[in-house]
Structure formats: structure tokens, C-alpha cells
């Protein structure tokens, strides 16, 4: 089992910045990918950014150029630096970690952290 602990959400004015972090802990595991998703009220959960073991990254078009995902492999921690925040970025942000054990991939989710951007 892998436990994810998120931090860094909050209330910020439009144009401001926040940095989210998500630390993974548990028994021996091999991380395949770490990323962030978000879900706004009344909307489906969507991918924000993801980084694979090989540091390949993918971003939602809506956050390209404003958000940056990074990892600290020694700490099993993934970060999301969010700059130039907009009211439409308001959502609950969830950390996601995929681990592998042989041929099986396991998906884990954090508890979510609220990000609110005021206009």
C-alpha cells in the first residue's frame, strides 16, 4: 500500500502562485508515474500534469506555460508549481501515483487539496 499526503492548497488572488506537494510513503514500491488532476464543481476530474519515471511530462493545454511539475525521487515527492493562476483554475487538486509490481500497475490518489483563485 502507498499513502499520499498532499499540501499547499489555499486561497489566492488571480495572477498569484501556489506550490502543491505530494509525498508518497509505504512499503516497497516502484513508481511509474506521478501527477496531478483536478476537479471543479460540476465537472469531471481532468489531468493537469503528469511526469513519468523517465521525467517525460505532459500538461493540459489550459495550464501550459503557467504550471510546472517536478519530482524529487529521493523523497518520492511530486510538486506542482502554479503561476499566473486564474479563477478557472479553482478546483480540488488530487495527486496521483502509479506504481508497478511485475506486470501489474496500481493507482493511488491523494485526499485532495482545495485551490481557490479569486478574481
Amino acid at each position: 500500500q502507498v499513502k499520499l499526503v498532499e499540501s499547499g492548497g489555499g486561497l489566492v488572488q488571480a495572477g498569484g502562485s501556489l506550490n502543491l506537494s505530494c509525498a508518497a510513503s509505504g512499503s516497497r514500491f516502484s513508481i511509474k508515474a506521478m501527477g496531478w488532476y483536478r476537479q471543479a464543481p460540476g465537472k469531471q476530474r481532468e489531468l493537469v500534469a503528469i511526469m513519468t519515471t523517465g521525467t517525460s511530462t505532459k500538461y493540459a493545454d489550459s495550464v501550459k506555460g503557467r504550471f510546472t511539475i517536478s519530482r524529487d525521487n529521493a523523497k518520492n515527492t511530486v510538486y506542482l508549481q502554479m503561476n499566473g493562476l486564474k479563477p478557472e483554475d479553482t478546483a480540488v487538486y488530487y495527486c496521483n501515483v502509479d506504481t508497478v509490481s511485475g506486470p501489474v500497475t496500481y493507482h493511488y490518489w491523494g485526499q485532495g487539496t482545495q485551490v481557490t483563485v479569486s478574481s
Side-chain angles (χ1 to χ4, degrees), residues 19-49:
N19 187 37
L20 306 182
S21 65
C22 172
S25 63
S27 55
R28 285 188 293 178
F29 54 91
S30 177
I31 294 177
K32 179 180 179 180
M34 302 182 82
W36 293 92
Y37 290 71
R38 66 186 181 187
Q39 187 166 17
K43 294 187 177 182
Q44 289 187 331
R45 190 173 297 187
E46 63 175 1
L47 173 70
V48 177

Side-chain angles (χ1 to χ4, degrees), residues 7-13 17-20 82 85 89-91 93 113-118:
S7 62
L11 172 64
V12 65
Q13 288 188 334
S17 299
L18 285 172
N19 187 37
L20 306 182
M82 305 185 292
L85 283 161
D89 294 318
T90 295
Y93 283 69
T113 184
Q114 178 70 46
V115 171
T116 302
V117 184
S118 62

Side-chain angles (χ1 to χ4, degrees), residues 21-85:
S21 65
C22 172
S25 63
S27 55
R28 285 188 293 178
F29 54 91
S30 177
I31 294 177
K32 179 180 179 180
M34 302 182 82
W36 293 92
Y37 290 71
R38 66 186 181 187
Q39 187 166 17
K43 294 187 177 182
Q44 289 187 331
R45 190 173 297 187
E46 63 175 1
L47 173 70
V48 177
I50 191 167
M51 176 178 279
T52 63
T53 305
T55 71
S56 174
T57 58
K58 178 180 179 180
Y59 294 91
D61 289 342
S62 60
V63 307
K64 284 181 181 177
R66 299 188 297 123
F67 291 10
T68 302
I69 188 170
S70 62
R71 283 175 58 172
D72 184 333
N73 291 326
K75 296 181 179 180
N76 288 326
T77 299
V78 62
Y79 305 93
L80 185 68
Q81 177 64 43
M82 305 185 292
N83 299 325
L85 283 161

Side-chain angles (χ1 to χ4, degrees), residues 79-109:
Y79 305 93
L80 185 68
Q81 177 64 43
M82 305 185 292
N83 299 325
L85 283 161
K86 304 175 181 180
E88 51 264 43
D89 294 318
T90 295
V92 177
Y93 283 69
Y94 296 92
C95 173
N96 170 261
V97 172
D98 290 345
T99 66
V100 292
S101 177
V104 182
T105 298
Y106 298 89
H107 308 285
Y108 297 94
W109 292 94

